[in-house]
Amino acid sequence: MISSSNCIFCLIASGQAPANCVHEDATTLAFMDVAPASDGHLLVIPRSHHESILDVDDGAITDVARAVQKMARAVQKALTPDGMRVSQFNGRAAGQTVFHYHVHVVPIRAGERPASHGRAAGDPDRIEAIAARIRASL
């Protein structure tokens, strides 16, 4: 597996840094965003390190897309949002803050207008309770 020793997502994927994981398989990992834009905001990453969509290989991008769909379905089942934002940022100017290819799954409720990224750390107990609901829906 390609990894970067100074990449927080590589450290999470290798088990060297904590994350509230909701799903994992041999090539991908899905975990809750620590600064959620809305309740249920999660991230899907390839276990291998790729900085952006510009250098992710075909296998990893396909695996991530499948995992994103699986997680979007689980979020829909668990939280019944009115809509869902699935987004991906490439480069600092576009809003990328962690330079490891990843996709955001953000549940949206009618009347909400969440930002692309959360502005502050979320409540860990609330995040875990929501993660448990998503895990149970898989």
Side-chain angles (χ1 to χ4, degrees), residues 21-87:
C21 295
V22 291
H23 175 73
E24 60 182 298
D25 59 33
T27 60
T28 65
L29 185 67
F31 53 92
M32 304 304 290
D33 196 305
V34 296
S38 73
D39 284 343
H41 180 175
L42 59 84
L43 306 172
V44 179
I45 67 167
R47 287 184 180 275
S48 55
H49 184 80
H50 309 275
E51 186 170 301
S52 73
I53 199 166
L54 302 174
D55 68 347
V56 66
D57 63 60
D58 291 347
I61 201 167
T62 300
D63 292 345
V64 167
R66 285 187 182 116
V68 166
Q69 183 183 49
K70 180 177 189 162
M71 296 315 306
R73 287 175 173 161
V75 166
Q76 185 66 41
K77 183 177 177 184
L79 307 177
T80 62
D82 300 306
M84 193 154 339
R85 180 184 301 146
V86 175
S87 56

Side-chain angles (χ1 to χ4, degrees), residues 1-3 7-19 21 24-31 45-49 100:
M1 174 176 71
I2 303 167
S3 67
C7 170
I8 186 60
F9 287 177
C10 285
L11 295 173
I12 290 169
S14 68
Q16 297 176 60
C21 295
E24 60 182 298
D25 59 33
T27 60
T28 65
L29 185 67
F31 53 92
I45 67 167
R47 287 184 180 275
S48 55
H49 184 80
H100 181 117

